[in-house]
Amino acid sequence: MRNQPYVCGLDAAVDVIDGKWKVLIIWALNHQRCRFGELRRLVPGVTEKVLTQQLRELEADGIVHREIYDVVPPKVEYSLTELGDELSTALGPLGAWGKRRMAVLEEETGQG
């Protein structure tokens, strides 16, 4: 979390989702609980180190919940908190805009 005050609500929101992988992690957790390995498969290209770091930051911001089960071998699952669900819903229109943008780019380049 930042120490300085936010300029507006968007500034506060972007601070939480800043980085290449956080929105993809939120997307992956949108409808399901996931173990770490599942998340790695759902977010191709992310390294183990970066995924761990991003999950810790999302957990610190109250977006992701980490559930540790007392079993052998150890089991850990990640899920969205209520605040995370709200953020995921808020990101929906941005994702829809992105799909429209992708379609325009495909038409412009003749890849559609």
Side-chain angles (χ1 to χ4, degrees), residues 25-89:
I25 293 166
I26 293 167
W27 170 81
L29 293 173
N30 187 35
H31 297 294
Q32 62 184 350
R33 298 173 148 272
C34 288
R35 294 181 71 177
F36 189 85
E38 292 173 291
L39 277 173
R40 281 225 37 217
R41 285 188 292 281
L42 290 170
V43 184
V46 69
T47 65
E48 189 171 316
K49 176 183 175 184
V50 171
L51 180 57
T52 299
Q53 176 189 1
Q54 301 284 278
L55 283 167
R56 285 181 183 154
E57 290 176 14
L58 287 167
E59 188 178 3
D61 285 330
I63 304 301
V64 168
H65 173 71
R66 182 175 184 248
E67 182 79 26
I68 304 167
Y69 296 91
D70 189 21
V71 294
V72 176
K75 178 180 174 183
V76 177
E77 287 184 335
Y78 297 91
S79 60
L80 293 179
T81 62
E82 186 175 329
L83 191 60
D85 283 332
E86 290 176 16
L87 178 56
S88 181
T89 299

Side-chain angles (χ1 to χ4, degrees), residues 2-3 8-9 15 20-22 24 45 61 69-70 72 90 97:
R2 293 193 331 191
N3 294 329
C8 65
D15 188 34
K20 181 176 179 176
W21 305 106
K22 287 183 181 176
L24 295 176
D61 285 330
Y69 296 91
D70 189 21
V72 176
W97 178 88

